[in-house]
């Protein structure tokens, strides 16, 4: 069996396991966050690493591509397809609920003529709204009204947990043909004009994470103003909402002014005004708070008029929502006051806002951290006798859990490996079938869920080392593990095959992204700090085998300062790497390179397109989205070049494998002695660099040393 195909089987098997367990699991932790970062934007990369560490987001959930597009049609054709492809390739469909965009993203997508509105034309979608509507994009392209219902919302005080795999109708999970799926999209921060500074965004992340589960005493302030255009869409709901919050043990206040003043307990400000002097109110906005002011240009950062939602973040709020263009003031377009009821019940910030938004969020930008769980109760999960030695076959996991939430207990559990669901049930022990996974190091996590409607969860984290085939990988730092953006980090990477066929490639990987690669089983590989991004990153060695299995080493933590340093002035370097495509209808392909100057603008040019796959029109960064032909077979090659102000790179190569690796001559799923004999007998391009030369002989010799450990000439 090809492991290029087996990785996708795991995701399908996981869906069957969840169905057998009879449950739909809640969102609400770092495992549910998808981070999208622009790999050519140093600020975006820094915040991505920072947020990933703060929220303990699994490596598989970090995606690298430019989040924006020229218009919504291009966004659907490329960005949403790239998102879908990467989530499927990594097998994390069960966990992906929140799409969080880093600074460096545009705050809107041009979308004229798609949404009708008799009051004010809709020409823009917020970037968060564009990702939220991923599953209804076809309907949007066909034309909808601005009051297109959000089917997760319902005008009730009962919270329903959010899950992107669930279809909702009238606010409840449903199999109705009109039910819809969604993501919760959010923009963590914007550092362009009238946005927030980088430090303000990082500070907000720190405040938000620290606020989780604190359930502070404080007051939700609902402010009715004399500005009827901005206040009237929701101020008639304030009294009922306050009564509900008070019935839950909280405190609310119906204010008849623009903002609370001289108050030190602000958990929320919902007001209606175009211009506010927020610092002048002399109020203390508590960590984890929400605030907005329902105005026309609150998130229209390219318009100097009116107060921006970034001002709320600057003053201490965790999240806000604002319009990216002039909206008609239909109440359904804006955050309903009942969102704070859900928030006070323990739902996440993002769930609370989305549950209370009656219309699809075309123009509203959700800004800040959507994952803050200010009023939730923590769940503690422990695992008895977790696996410590290399495992094979079936591994049993026996968790226990507890919660402080009154009247609730931890009822069921889930085990994920590399954030892919392996088992989920209330009957214990859980089991991981390691034969469905690759050899080597894996991230092991166990979730415990309580019995509340919020489905609060806790996470235990460890590691799982698998040895079913005798394959392993090792990584050692040569140059040290700290530096700045211009530092070149050097690693020795190697793999042991264990008699099951030699590796065909060894590479460096960050968050499931190939950074550098070499043919064979061992190499010294380099990557620059700017490519990793500032902050902390976990780097692995990864060995690729001819059956598609990817075997990883334990990670090495690398820390990069957000300083430019002194670039070396060299031209970019490129690599030859392999992508196992299998029978996928689309493949996301990274093109690895080495370059150390964060201030230089790079261009990435495809020299030779693959013969059996089309390149989907889209961004031209260090990646491409490919669509293989229906009859693609064997292997294919795509070549590329990277250009900087210092000059051009050599030509890099990406080998695309559809059903059999080119070194697997006898098609037995392994690169072994029989293949080596065949290549040695008839000189061939053994290292797949496009040339038959002495380098192929050296490749064969190196393969023998760390693969089968025998000499071809002895036969």
């Amino acid at each position: 069996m090809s492991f290029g195909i087996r990785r996708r089987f795991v995701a399908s098997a996981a869906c069957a396991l969840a169905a057998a367990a009879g449950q739909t699991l809640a969102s609400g932790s770092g495992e549910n966050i998808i981070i999208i970062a622009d790999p050519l934007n140093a600020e975006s990369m820094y915040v991505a690493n920072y947020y990933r560490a703060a929220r303990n987001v699994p490596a598989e959930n970090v995606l690298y591509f430019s989040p924006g597009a020229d218009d919504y049609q291009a966004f659907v054709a490329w960005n949403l397809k790239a998102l879908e492809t990467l989530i499927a390739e990594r097998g994390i469909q069960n966990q992906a609920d929140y799409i969080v965009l880093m600074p460096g993203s545009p705050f809107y997508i041009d979308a004229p003529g798609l949404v009708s509105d008799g009051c004010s034309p809709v020409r823009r979608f917020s970037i968060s709204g564009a990702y939220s509507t991923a599953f209804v994009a076809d309907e949007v392209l066909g034309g909808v009204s601005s009051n297109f219902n959000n089917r997760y919302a319902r005008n009730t005080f009962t919270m329903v947990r959010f899950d992107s795999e669930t279809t909702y109708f009238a606010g409840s999970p449903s199999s109705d043909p009109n039910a819809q799926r969604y993501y919760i999209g959010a923009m963590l921060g914007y550092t362009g004009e009238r946005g927030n500074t980088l430090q303000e965004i990082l500070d907000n992340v720190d405040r938000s994470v620290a606020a989780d589960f604190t359930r502070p005493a404080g007051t939700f302030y609902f402010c009715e103003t004399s500005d009827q255009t901005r206040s009237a869409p929701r101020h008639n709901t304030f009294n009922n909402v306050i009564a509900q919050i008070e019935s839950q043990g909280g405190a609310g206040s119906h204010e008849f002014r623009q903002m609370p003043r001289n108050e030190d307990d602000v958990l929320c400000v919902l007001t209606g005004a175009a211009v506010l002097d927020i610092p002048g109110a002399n109020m203390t906005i508590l960590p984890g708070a929400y605030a907005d002011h329902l105005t026309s240009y609150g998130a229209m950062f390219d318009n100097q008029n009116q107060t921006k939602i970034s001002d709320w973040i600057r003053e201490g709020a965790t999240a806000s929502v604002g319009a990216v263009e002039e909206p008609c003031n239909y109440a359904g377009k804006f955050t309903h006051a009942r969102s704070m009821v859900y928030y006070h019940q323990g739902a996440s910030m993002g769930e609370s806002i989305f549950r209370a938004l009656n219309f699809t969020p075309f123009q509203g930008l959700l800004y800040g951290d959507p994952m803050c769980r200010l009023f939730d109760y923590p769940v503690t999960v422990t695992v008895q006798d977790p696996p410590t030695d290399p495992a094979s076959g079936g591994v049993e996991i026996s968790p226990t859990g507890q919660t402080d939430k009154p009247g609730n207990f931890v009822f069921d559990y889930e085990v994920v490996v590399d954030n892919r669901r392996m088992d989920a049930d209330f009957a214990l022990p859980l089991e991981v079938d390691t034969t469905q996974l690759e050899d080597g190091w894996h991230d092991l996590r166990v979730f415990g869920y309580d019995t509340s409607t919020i489905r609060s969860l806790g996470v235990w984290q460890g590691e799982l080392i698998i040895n079913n085939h005798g394959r392993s990988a090792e990584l050692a730092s040569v140059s040290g593990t700290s530096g700045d953006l211009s530092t070149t980090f050097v690693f020795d990477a190697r793999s042991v095959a264990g008699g099951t066929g030699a590796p065909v490639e060894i590479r460096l990987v960050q968050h499931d992204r190939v950074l550098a690669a070499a043919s064979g089983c061992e190499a010294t590989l380099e990557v620059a700090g700017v490519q990793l991004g500032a902050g902390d990153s976990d780097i692995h060695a990864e060995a690729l085998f001819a059956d598609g299995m990817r075997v990883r080493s334990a990670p090495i933590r690398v820390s990069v300062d957000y300083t430019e340093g002194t670039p070396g002035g060299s031209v970019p370097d490129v690599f030859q790497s392999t992508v196992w495509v299998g029978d996928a209808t689309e493949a996301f392909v990274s093109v690895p390179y080495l370059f150390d100057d964060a201030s230089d603008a790079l261009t990435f040019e495809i020299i030779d397109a693959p013969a059996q796959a089309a390149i989907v029109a889209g961004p031209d960064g260090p990646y491409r989205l490919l669509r293989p032909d229906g009859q693609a077979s064997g292997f294919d090659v795509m070549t590329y070049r990277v250009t900087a102000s210092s000059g051009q790179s050599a030509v890099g190569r990406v080998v695309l494998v559809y059903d059999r690796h080119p070194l697997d001559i006898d098609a037995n799923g392994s690169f072994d002695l029989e293949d080596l004999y065949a290549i040695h007998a008839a000189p061939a391009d053994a290292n797949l660099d496009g040339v038959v030369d002495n380098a192929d002989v050296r490749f064969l010799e190196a393969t023998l040393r760390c693969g089968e450990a025998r000499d071809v000439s002895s036969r």
Side-chain angles (χ1 to χ4, degrees), residues 292-377:
D292 76 37
H293 54 294
L294 202 158
T295 192
S296 302
Y297 307 139
M300 196 172 180
F301 294 111
D302 54 351
N303 185 308
Q304 65 181 355
N305 297 313
Q306 302 184 358
T307 299
K308 304 305 175 193
I309 56 176
S310 51
D311 288 6
W312 290 113
I313 305 301
R314 187 171 297 111
E315 293 303 314
T318 285
S320 185
V321 173
V324 298
E325 68 174 349
E326 174 76 68
C328 198
N329 67 339
Y330 306 134
K333 286 190 175 187
F334 305 101
T335 305
H336 195 284
R338 71 176 184 274
S339 60
M340 295 299 101
V341 172
Y342 307 141
Y343 196 40
H344 189 258
Q345 290 173 358
S348 74
M349 179 74 78
E351 283 179 306
S352 302
I353 293 169
F354 200 53
R355 174 73 169 164
L357 191 65
N358 290 334
F359 295 169
T360 301
F362 293 123
Q363 295 165 298
L365 178 70
L366 175 51
Y367 188 82
D369 184 9
M371 189 51 74
C372 187
R373 293 179 288 166
L374 186 62
F375 288 96
D376 200 3
Y377 286 79

Side-chain angles (χ1 to χ4, degrees), residues 560-579:
V560 178
D561 291 335
Y562 191 58
T563 54
E564 189 170 323
T566 306
S570 300
V571 300
D573 197 4
V574 291
F575 302 90
Q576 176 176 298
S577 62
T578 303
V579 174

Side-chain angles (χ1 to χ4, degrees), residues 8-20 91 94 420-424:
R8 289 191 292 278
F9 168 76
V10 170
S12 300
C15 293
L17 287 167
N94 300 124
R420 290 175 280 169
R421 187 184 300 163
M422 302 304 298
D423 196 3

Side-chain angles (χ1 to χ4, degrees), residues 314-507:
R314 187 171 297 111
E315 293 303 314
T318 285
S320 185
V321 173
V324 298
E325 68 174 349
E326 174 76 68
C328 198
N329 67 339
Y330 306 134
K333 286 190 175 187
F334 305 101
T335 305
H336 195 284
R338 71 176 184 274
S339 60
M340 295 299 101
V341 172
Y342 307 141
Y343 196 40
H344 189 258
Q345 290 173 358
S348 74
M349 179 74 78
E351 283 179 306
S352 302
I353 293 169
F354 200 53
R355 174 73 169 164
L357 191 65
N358 290 334
F359 295 169
T360 301
F362 293 123
Q363 295 165 298
L365 178 70
L366 175 51
Y367 188 82
D369 184 9
M371 189 51 74
C372 187
R373 293 179 288 166
L374 186 62
F375 288 96
D376 200 3
Y377 286 79
V379 172
T380 302
V381 178
T382 57
V383 172
Q384 307 298 319
D385 300 320
T388 55
D389 297 325
S392 60
V395 174
E396 292 186 346
I397 305 292
S398 299
T400 59
Q402 62 182 28
T403 177
D404 295 332
K405 186 180 293 186
N408 288 271
F409 57 92
V410 179
F411 178 69
D412 53 349
Y413 299 88
E414 174 185 7
V415 57
V416 300
V417 176
D418 302 330
N419 214 28
R420 290 175 280 169
R421 187 184 300 163
M422 302 304 298
D423 196 3
D425 211 333
F426 57 86
L428 300 177
L430 303 176
E431 183 168 331
V432 175
D433 180 1
T434 68
T435 66
Q436 297 298 310
L437 296 165
E438 300 90 339
D439 278 8
W441 185 94
H442 297 270
D443 179 8
L444 174 67
R445 304 190 189 201
V446 179
F447 307 152
Y449 297 86
D450 75 9
T451 51
S452 69
T453 58
I454 302 299
R455 298 276 287 155
S456 301
L457 77 159
V459 182
W460 174 91
Q461 184 175 4
E463 64 179 17
L464 178 64
I465 299 171
I466 297 176
N467 183 8
N468 285 305
H469 305 274
R471 297 171 174 179
S472 63
E474 300 172 358
L475 184 66
S477 171
V478 174
S479 62
T481 57
S482 62
D484 56 36
L485 295 175
S486 67
T487 300
T488 296
F489 296 92
V490 185
F491 299 90
D492 282 340
R494 68 184 299 269
S495 174
V496 175
T500 58
V504 296
E505 187 169 286
I506 189 77
R507 57 249 196 128

Side-chain angles (χ1 to χ4, degrees), residues 67-191:
D70 290 339
D71 55 37
Y72 187 70
Q73 289 84 348
F75 175 83
V76 172
W78 198 94
N79 298 66
L80 292 186
K81 184 56 67 174
L83 176 68
E84 175 189 356
T85 299
L86 284 164
I87 287 175
E89 286 177 354
R90 300 180 184 193
I92 55 175
Q93 299 95 321
N94 300 124
Q95 309 299 344
D97 292 330
Y98 297 75
I99 310 298
V100 183
L101 309 164
M102 299 298 104
S105 307
F107 63 89
Y108 72 93
I109 299 288
D110 280 320
L114 297 174
V115 176
S116 61
D117 191 314
C119 170
S120 182
V122 176
R123 300 187 180 94
R124 291 178 169 184
F125 293 169
S126 72
I127 190 73
S128 61
Y131 281 97
S132 293
T133 58
F135 297 110
V136 296
D138 287 344
E139 287 190 60
V140 175
L141 288 174
V144 295
S145 167
S146 64
N147 63 0
F148 186 46
N149 285 340
N150 167 17
R151 291 163 202 179
Y152 174 61
R154 188 164 186 169
N155 191 17
T156 175
F157 292 135
T158 302
M159 182 61 197
V160 172
R161 72 215 183 294
F162 179 82
D163 174 28
S164 71
E165 287 199 306
T166 298
T167 55
Y168 296 94
F169 185 73
S172 298
S174 174
S175 59
D176 187 281
N178 293 310
Q180 298 285 12
R181 294 173 61 191
Y182 302 95
Y183 289 122
I184 295 176
M187 188 175 196
L188 194 62
Y190 176 73
T191 55

